[in-house]
Amino acid sequence: MTATTTPMPTLATVLWPSSTQQDQARALLRALVLAVAGSLLMTLSAKIQIPFWPVPMTMQTFVVLVLGIAYGWRLGAATMLLYLIEGAAGLPVFSGTPERGIGLAYMMGPTGGYLVGFVLAAALCGWLAERGWDRTLGRVTVAMLAGHALILACGVLWLANIMGWDKAIQFGLTPFWAATAFKTALAVATLPLAWRLLGRRG
């Protein structure tokens, strides 16, 4: 007898159930609505800057990781890909657009590595959520830190090819420690609470 691992329900699945009995059109519509809503949240989070130390903070990486956790790895990664496609098409969805450029030219600039990291981190956090890593304080902490680490690693690797390792770490990693800690703490405070409010269904 072969053991099988069934992914656990995510927050989105509990709030808007998706059944294998649903017809394909309804399932596709659900995924599309969630992906578009997620891409809009990404755009909003990129545009709002919050005064913080040592640099102003956006909530974009928080939204990336929480969407991954809430949606699961497939829909989470697909939502980030939709967001990148919108940006590649020239829509001003990224931080600093259109002032610092738009489209592929912007995406190939200094922030390109972080954008790639969004897709990978959403998939990672979604995969962890489907195994119950969004339901307890300790596991949410690990999931969020892992997601942030993946985004920062992609960003620093990209920047290192542009400006060298020393400057990549100085400008692409060091200024974001405090914001990373804050956003991780915010997720730790909210995600397990969301499951408690939902009665830990699933």
Side-chain angles (χ1 to χ4, degrees):
M1 184 175 177
T2 304
T4 59
T5 302
T6 302
M8 299 178 71
T10 62
L11 285 167
T13 304
V14 171
L15 291 170
W16 188 354
S18 175
S19 169
T20 54
Q21 276 70 45
Q22 281 183 330
D23 61 78
Q24 261 191 332
R26 286 179 61 194
L28 182 60
L29 177 62
R30 173 186 178 275
L32 183 60
V33 169
L34 289 174
V36 170
S39 72
L40 290 174
L41 279 175
M42 286 294 298
T43 301
L44 182 63
S45 68
K47 300 300 182 180
I48 298 175
Q49 287 202 341
I50 301 170
F52 205 75
W53 180 89
V55 293
M57 174 181 68
T58 72
M59 293 301 290
Q60 200 164 24
T61 57
F62 176 83
V63 172
V64 170
L65 303 185
V66 170
L67 282 176
I69 287 171
Y71 283 5
W73 79 267
R74 289 181 181 84
L75 184 54
T79 299
M80 294 306 123
L81 286 172
L82 174 62
Y83 176 64
L84 297 190
I85 290 169
E86 291 169 351
L91 297 177
V93 296
F94 301 133
S95 178
T97 57
E99 297 82 8
R100 290 189 288 157
I102 57 173
L104 290 174
Y106 177 95
M107 296 174 72
M108 295 303 293
T111 61
Y114 300 103
L115 297 176
V116 172
F118 288 174
V119 180
L120 300 178
L124 172 63
C125 286
W127 186 87
L128 291 172
E130 290 173 357
R131 281 142 189 86
W133 285 67
D134 58 338
R135 306 189 184 205
T136 64
L137 298 180
R139 288 189 171 191
V140 170
T141 302
V142 172
M144 288 293 292
L145 288 176
H148 274 121
L150 187 52
I151 293 171
L152 291 170
C154 290
V156 169
L157 284 170
W158 185 280
L159 284 173
N161 287 321
I162 298 173
M163 60 181 64
W165 281 104
D166 289 344
K167 287 187 176 179
I169 292 172
Q170 179 183 355
F171 296 110
L173 178 63
T174 304
F176 304 117
W177 286 119
T180 295
F182 172 80
K183 287 181 269 192
T184 298
L186 183 60
V188 169
T190 55
L191 288 169
L193 176 61
W195 278 112
R196 284 198 293 274
L197 293 174
L198 290 170
R200 292 189 178 274
R201 283 181 278 173

